[in-house]
Amino acid sequence: MTSSSDRSPAVDVQGPKSYEIRTYGCQMNVHDSERLAGLLEDAGYVRAPEGADGDADVVVFNTCAVRENADNRLYGNLGRLAPQKAKRPGMQIAVGGCLAQKDRDTIVKKAPWVDVVFGTHNIGKLPVLLERARVQQEAQVEIAESLEAFPSTLPTRRESAYAAWVSISVGCNNTCTFCIVPALRGKEKDRRPGDILAEVEALVAEGVSEITLLGQNVNAYGSDIGDREAFGKLLRACGNIDGLERVRFTSPHPRDFTDDVIAAMAETPNVMPQLHMPLQSGSDTVLKAMRRSYRQERYLGIIEKVRAAIPHAAITTDIIVGFPGETEEDFEQTLHVVREARFAQAFTFQYSKRPGTPAAEMDDQIPKEVVQARYERLVALQEEISWEENKRQVGRTLELMVAEGEGRKDGATHRLSGRAPDNRLVHLTKPEQDVRPGDVVTVEITYAAPHHLLAEGPVLDVRRTRAGDAWEKRNAVEVAQPAGVMLGLPKVGVPEPLPVAANSGCGCD
């Protein structure tokens, strides 16, 4: 574990240095960026003003390696920063995350103006590596091969006052042929249940009312500690924490999704009626080529059990179109599962080669135009189903947790936005009573679009919460300080429903 002396290099006597973090990829990277921000602030750095766009003393790239063009994107961004660094003595650039773990020395060779390269296992070393690079006037490349400290033991600068990620495991034991994550994040390593619950209780004491349990394969939790029912037990334990109103988790794997987890979801009141269950393909042939250890019948059986136990559950998924060898018949099987499962939303991908994965070397790569045509057919079908499923919400009375920054048009339309228990996004009429992010309102749904709902009538009830108090207190403090920048994503905290036709994220669960 990194010592406090390792994390606290001296800050320039001329004043605190500023930092900016740019985050790419999955929820794990977002959570890691919260830790990186906490580490830098613990070492005396301050966030750069909003819109700094590289005009900071330290710019950190937290990278993703699962897309084919991930390296091109990184080097393009690094190239745009090179002139700024040349004009700004003392500016430092650091590259971490999955691409850093994979490419190591290549980054400094291609972009010699980079000061620090660190991997997924040693994010706690960033401040000391920056200081070492400054003192020695040469790039520092340090890639640990195994986890040095569980990320949740590190300082944190969370982006939300009312909702938080809580990592329960890192790494993955699966061998999916399209995914490079296990090679970069290692085998699964679980936290002790007591440590997880202690973190959740501490967050609730600070005002957080919603947590999302996070893991590369979240419901495999327990395999590392010898308890195959540990995840269901963890969900039930979260139900006993006073003040914790909403519990979510992402992302599970169908192989490990057992009946005890479904029972825990159904029987624990604060576990939300929402499930993100990656499908990837509806074809048994393609699933076998992907090394996905379930088949269509098993997958649809899980969906059927969840709906029986939790009738109002919103189920979302990941789907890859155009995996090597996928035939028209294979693709039709995917469409069949989509029709049967009736997902609320789907996170859809056109297959992209991940360098270093077995699938990248497979024969029968599908032509781009074929993949595009299939992709458009899938999106059109899912769009139709999403709209139909949302229309079924019209007339329901729902409790929403008011969210911050979710509705881009809220200011112009005089609305607020919030999340339903099943995580659907709802735009609502702004009440006369003051309502803060984290507060809870009761509304009636009046209109449905494919990706959001409207509550156009008056708000039926407003419940001010400790989470709203926490947001108000934090906002008051930050108003008195320079505005900060986000970590490279629209928001951190409450995960959004995964949008149809999205092309970001890893989709490798």
Side-chain angles (χ1 to χ4, degrees):
M1 183 172 175
T2 307
S3 68
S4 58
S5 60
D6 282 344
R7 293 202 309 265
S8 302
V11 176
D12 197 309
V13 295
Q14 294 181 353
K17 291 182 170 66
S18 61
Y19 74 89
E20 176 189 354
I21 301 177
R22 301 184 186 182
T23 308
Y24 307 99
C26 66
Q27 298 97 329
M28 277 291 185
N29 274 21
V30 176
H31 190 46
D32 284 349
S33 286
E34 291 187 320
R35 302 296 177 189
L36 292 170
L39 285 159
L40 291 171
E41 293 191 7
D42 194 50
Y45 293 83
V46 297
R47 291 206 300 177
E50 188 170 357
D53 193 24
D55 188 20
D57 296 303
V58 173
V59 179
V60 183
F61 291 88
N62 191 7
T63 64
C64 174
V66 299
R67 303 301 289 173
E68 186 177 14
N69 64 349
D71 54 349
N72 292 335
R73 185 179 186 186
L74 172 65
Y75 295 121
N77 286 323
L78 290 175
R80 283 188 287 274
L81 279 186
Q84 289 177 254
K85 188 178 183 193
K87 297 176 184 177
R88 183 171 183 149
M91 179 181 176
Q92 292 183 297
I93 299 172
V95 179
C98 291
L99 191 62
Q101 188 79 22
K102 182 174 77 74
D103 283 0
R104 305 176 183 236
D105 295 329
T106 305
I107 293 173
V108 174
K109 289 178 182 177
K110 289 188 175 181
W113 54 92
V114 169
D115 299 276
V116 171
V117 179
F118 62 101
T120 59
H121 299 308
N122 62 329
I123 65 174
K125 286 290 186 67
L126 176 58
V128 75
L129 291 172
L130 288 168
E131 180 68 1
R132 194 184 300 163
R134 185 185 67 82
V135 172
Q136 297 182 7
Q137 293 293 296
E138 63 180 12
Q140 301 295 309
V141 178
E142 188 169 311
I143 306 291
E145 297 300 330
S146 60
L147 193 66
E148 293 187 348
F150 204 96
S152 291
T153 65
L154 301 173
T156 309
R157 203 292 181 193
R158 297 186 185 271
E159 288 300 308
S160 173
Y162 56 89
W165 305 101
V166 175
S167 185
I168 69 171
S169 64
V170 295
C172 181
N173 294 336
N174 294 318
T175 58
C176 301
T177 55
F178 56 81
C179 182
I180 199 171
V181 169
L184 303 180
R185 289 194 176 266
K187 293 293 186 181
E188 180 177 326
K189 184 172 180 59
D190 297 334
R191 292 178 74 190
R192 296 193 316 165
D195 292 340
I196 296 168
L197 294 172
E199 182 180 356
V200 174
E201 289 171 349
L203 288 166
V204 172
E206 294 171 5
V208 168
S209 61
E210 175 170 326
I211 60 108
T212 300
L213 302 175
L214 183 63
Q216 213 73 53
N217 179 7
V218 70
N219 62 312
Y221 176 75
S223 61
D224 182 49
I225 57 179
D227 184 355
R228 298 300 298 177
E229 295 188 350
F231 185 62
K233 293 174 183 176
L234 182 62
L235 291 176
R236 293 183 186 275
C238 287
N240 295 324
I241 298 177
D242 290 339
L244 180 58
E245 297 194 17
R246 296 186 172 193
V247 178
R248 306 187 191 275
F249 58 89
T250 195
S251 287
H253 190 294
R255 182 195 67 184
D256 303 297
F257 204 79
T258 50
D259 290 350
D260 67 294
V261 173
I262 297 174
M265 292 177 65
E267 297 166 10
T268 309
N270 64 355
V271 176
M272 294 293 96
Q274 172 211 352
L275 176 64
H276 182 69
M277 180 65 72
L279 169 65
Q280 308 303 6
S281 175
S283 162
D284 288 353
T285 301
V286 174
L287 289 171
K288 182 178 180 180
M290 289 178 167
R291 289 191 202 148
R292 302 287 286 179
S293 50
Y294 57 89
R295 299 296 179 258
Q296 182 187 119
E297 183 178 4
R298 157 75 172 155
Y299 185 92
L300 288 174
I302 292 172
I303 301 302
E304 183 178 358
K305 288 181 179 180
V306 170
R307 293 206 190 282
I310 315 167
H312 287 301
I315 301 175
T316 58
T317 195
D318 296 334
I319 300 173
I320 297 173
V321 178
F323 187 81
E326 180 189 73
T327 65
E328 178 62 23
E329 182 180 355
D330 292 327
F331 178 65
E332 287 290 346
Q333 288 299 306
T334 295
L335 296 181
H336 169 70
V337 175
V338 170
R339 292 187 187 100
E340 291 292 310
R342 298 196 65 80
F343 301 113
Q345 299 283 341
F347 199 17
T348 55
F349 298 85
Q350 296 185 41
Y351 171 74
S352 172
K353 286 186 179 181
R354 275 86 162 170
T357 63
E361 306 302 321
M362 287 182 177
D363 295 331
D364 202 10
Q365 300 283 327
I366 310 300
K368 171 66 177 174
E369 60 273 16
V370 175
V371 177
Q372 181 67 34
R374 290 175 182 171
Y375 179 79
E376 291 172 1
R377 288 162 59 195
L378 172 62
V379 168
L381 174 61
Q382 182 57 54
E383 190 90 352
E384 177 184 335
I385 292 172
S386 295
W387 200 359
E388 290 173 355
E389 290 300 304
N390 274 1
K391 286 176 182 177
R392 295 174 61 186
Q393 308 301 311
V394 174
R396 291 188 65 193
T397 299
L398 300 176
E399 274 199 340
L400 312 178
M401 180 177 291
V402 177
E404 182 176 25
E406 296 261 23
R408 293 190 297 270
K409 300 179 181 178
D410 282 353
T413 57
H414 303 290
R415 289 174 175 157
L416 298 175
S417 296
R419 292 285 175 180
D422 64 9
N423 214 26
R424 281 182 165 92
L425 177 63
V426 181
H427 303 302
L428 61 137
T429 301
K430 190 173 184 179
E432 293 183 6
Q433 184 177 346
D434 183 38
V435 180
R436 308 156 302 176
D439 286 340
V440 175
V441 297
T442 303
V443 301
E444 181 180 336
I445 303 303
T446 59
Y447 176 81
H451 305 297
H452 69 268
L453 303 170
L454 293 182
E456 300 164 297
V459 171
L460 304 177
D461 184 61
V462 175
R463 176 164 61 86
R464 292 173 71 84
T465 65
R466 291 172 58 253
D469 294 341
W471 178 89
E472 189 171 42
K473 179 179 178 181
R474 176 166 168 174
N475 198 53
V477 170
E478 293 190 348
V479 165
Q481 299 174 346
V485 294
M486 298 299 284
L487 302 182
L489 290 178
K491 58 192 68 67
V492 178
V494 186
E496 297 183 9
L498 301 175
V500 173
N503 285 309
S504 60
C506 69
C508 52
D509 300 295

